[in-house]
Amino acid sequence: MPADPLHRAAKPQRSTTSPPTSGSGASAIEVRRSARRRRTVSAYREGDRTVVLIPARMSEAEEQRWVTVMLDKLAAQESRRVLGDTELSERAERLSAQYFEGRARPSSVRWVTNQNTRWGSCTPSEGSIRLSHRLQGMPEYVVDYVLLHELAHLLVPGHGPRFWRLLEAYPRTERARGYLEGVVAADRLPRMPATGDE
């Protein structure tokens, strides 16, 4: 595979891969050190991996600090990105190919504003998938999970063992479910009245 032209640099002096920190959306973090890089630090997603490019002279402590900073920065950028219906359909197609061998083929995938008690819905007989607009701005792995959940319903209508086995293919299923449960729990918390001090 050719090198990414946006991130081409001198051959890295050292490359380390580590498990993700608690806030990252990727399954692995790869740090690439470069003697040509003097001060700048950058990061990008490469599949399920996050690549962080740093100067070779950085200490281990600086490396850790910058990895955390860059992961937070990437997560913030991703949460601001809102997919249109066309991009949502393309994403569903890619996810189906990656996790379900392309067997789940929706006829339509779109955002809707009338789903306030569920994250998504699917009508298998029509092949249509609808995602709640409340997902917009959430991390990509959460949107992907909801898309995969609805795609799985095109293959298995209920929530039986066969359905959950399909979703086991997606490595962030439990994390995404935890995120969504946290959002629901936060919505149920009592609102504190505003005080005059704020």
Side-chain angles (χ1 to χ4, degrees), residues 154-173:
L154 294 176
L155 304 173
V156 179
H159 287 105
R162 206 168 128 238
F163 174 85
W164 292 111
R165 273 196 302 276
L166 272 178
L167 282 181
E168 284 174 5
Y170 184 57
R172 297 188 192 122
T173 290

Side-chain angles (χ1 to χ4, degrees), residues 16-175:
T16 59
T17 302
S18 59
T21 59
S22 58
S24 81
S27 60
I29 301 157
E30 182 178 338
V31 177
R32 295 180 188 166
R33 290 177 174 257
S34 170
R36 288 179 57 190
R37 190 173 279 272
R38 296 286 177 223
R39 286 178 293 202
T40 60
V41 176
S42 63
Y44 60 95
R45 302 281 194 215
E46 192 174 78
D48 273 356
R49 177 181 305 274
T50 300
V51 178
V52 181
L53 306 170
I54 64 171
R57 60 177 177 69
M58 247 185 212
S59 69
E60 293 292 323
E62 287 175 310
E63 174 184 314
Q64 284 303 315
R65 184 176 72 80
W66 275 106
V67 164
T68 301
V69 166
M70 297 312 288
L71 288 174
D72 289 346
K73 197 177 225 182
L74 280 174
Q77 288 170 353
E78 289 168 353
S79 70
R80 286 192 299 269
R81 189 179 311 137
V82 176
L83 303 173
D85 288 350
T86 302
E87 295 165 307
L88 204 56
S89 291
E90 291 167 356
R91 189 176 204 98
E93 189 178 323
R94 281 195 307 271
L95 289 168
S96 176
Q98 185 175 357
Y99 295 103
F100 301 147
E101 299 169 345
R103 293 178 296 135
R105 295 188 189 105
S107 58
S108 69
V109 182
R110 61 191 173 91
W111 295 108
V112 293
T113 57
N114 63 351
Q115 290 190 16
N116 294 316
T117 58
R118 53 172 74 179
W119 299 112
S121 62
C122 172
T123 307
S125 61
E126 297 172 3
S128 61
I129 291 175
R130 295 158 304 282
L131 296 191
S132 171
H133 72 286
R134 295 177 305 139
L135 288 164
Q136 293 175 337
M138 289 190 188
E140 288 183 359
Y141 74 92
V142 176
V143 176
D144 285 354
Y145 164 73
V146 177
L147 266 175
L148 279 164
H149 185 106
E150 301 310 331
L151 286 166
H153 279 309
L154 294 176
L155 304 173
V156 179
H159 287 105
R162 206 168 128 238
F163 174 85
W164 292 111
R165 273 196 302 276
L166 272 178
L167 282 181
E168 284 174 5
Y170 184 57
R172 297 188 192 122
T173 290
E174 288 307 312
R175 184 174 180 191

